[in-house]
Amino acid sequence: MTTFEFANEELVAEKQPLTFEKLLTRITETLVVLILLGMVVAIWGSVFTRYITNDPIAWGEQVAKYLMVWAVMLGAGLGLREGAHISIGIVVKRLPEAAQRVCSLLVYLILASFLMVGLIYGSIFAYNVREHVDPIINNMSLFYAYSAIPVGCGLMLVQLCFNFRRGKPAVSEGVSLS
């Protein structure tokens, strides 16, 4: 695809109405970029204060770790939307079309079940650790760190529903390395 074709597709995409799905995707993409920038700043600040000022900040590594968990959980929803998660579809692709649809439906049901379990038990776990604090980050409640699990699972569940509604196969074609 040439740069012109890509730019032309962007212009066509801009003229389409903003749906909830597109809005959610844009917000998620923006949050992931901001979180990654926050990680870079926290790590850079930690390295700078350790090696330049010889007065290291204690919370830099912890903040970067929590931000990385949030970036991964939010990014997983985007990956699910694009079909970027690893899958082994070689066996499914050799089946008749009807059997492929059945397999796809089974994969959707298994994924939805797993994400519901993650959403429910992740919420319970985040709620249960709400009074536990991280003393390095000004006694921040661990609820904020662990709530990435139910939020990420919920976002992946929503993206899974969008994919199902669009009729996208649950097992992707895979990502080309060339």
Side-chain angles (χ1 to χ4, degrees):
M1 175 180 291
T2 66
T3 306
F4 176 74
E5 290 172 329
F6 180 73
N8 199 16
E9 284 183 15
E10 288 290 320
L11 289 174
V12 171
E14 289 296 322
K15 293 180 183 177
Q16 296 174 355
L18 187 64
T19 62
F20 175 70
E21 179 180 359
K22 289 178 186 175
L23 180 64
L24 182 66
T25 301
R26 284 185 186 172
I27 289 170
T28 306
E29 289 170 341
T30 303
L31 282 173
V32 169
V33 167
L34 291 174
I35 289 169
L36 290 175
L37 284 173
M39 276 179 58
V40 168
V41 169
I43 292 169
W44 185 86
S46 185
V47 168
F48 181 82
T49 58
R50 174 168 299 174
Y51 294 108
I52 305 298
T53 66
N54 290 324
D55 186 23
I57 54 175
W59 49 265
E61 182 182 345
Q62 289 292 92
V63 168
K65 180 172 57 174
Y66 294 143
L67 289 175
M68 183 176 68
V69 170
W70 271 96
V72 166
M73 293 306 292
L74 294 177
L78 296 172
L80 185 67
R81 179 183 192 279
E82 299 299 324
H85 289 277
I86 191 167
S87 63
I88 303 171
I90 192 166
V91 174
V92 175
K93 290 176 187 146
R94 294 177 188 258
L95 295 173
E97 190 174 328
Q100 287 181 15
R101 279 187 254 138
V102 169
C103 285
S104 185
L105 183 60
L106 280 172
V107 170
Y108 269 111
L109 290 173
I110 291 167
L111 281 172
S113 300
F114 177 79
L115 293 172
M116 285 298 296
V117 168
L119 177 64
I120 292 166
Y121 285 101
S123 298
I124 292 168
F125 185 74
Y127 180 78
N128 287 340
V129 298
R130 72 190 182 285
E131 293 182 15
H132 296 246
V133 295
D134 188 338
I136 297 174
I137 309 178
N138 200 25
N139 291 327
M140 177 192 83
S141 171
L142 290 180
F143 171 81
Y144 300 113
Y146 287 106
S147 59
I149 297 167
V151 169
C153 287
L155 180 63
M156 284 186 274
L157 192 59
V158 169
Q159 292 292 0
L160 188 70
C161 291
F162 289 148
N163 284 353
F164 184 76
R165 189 188 73 204
R166 284 195 312 264
K168 187 174 181 179
V171 177
S172 68
E173 295 293 323
V175 178
S176 174
L177 298 176
S178 58

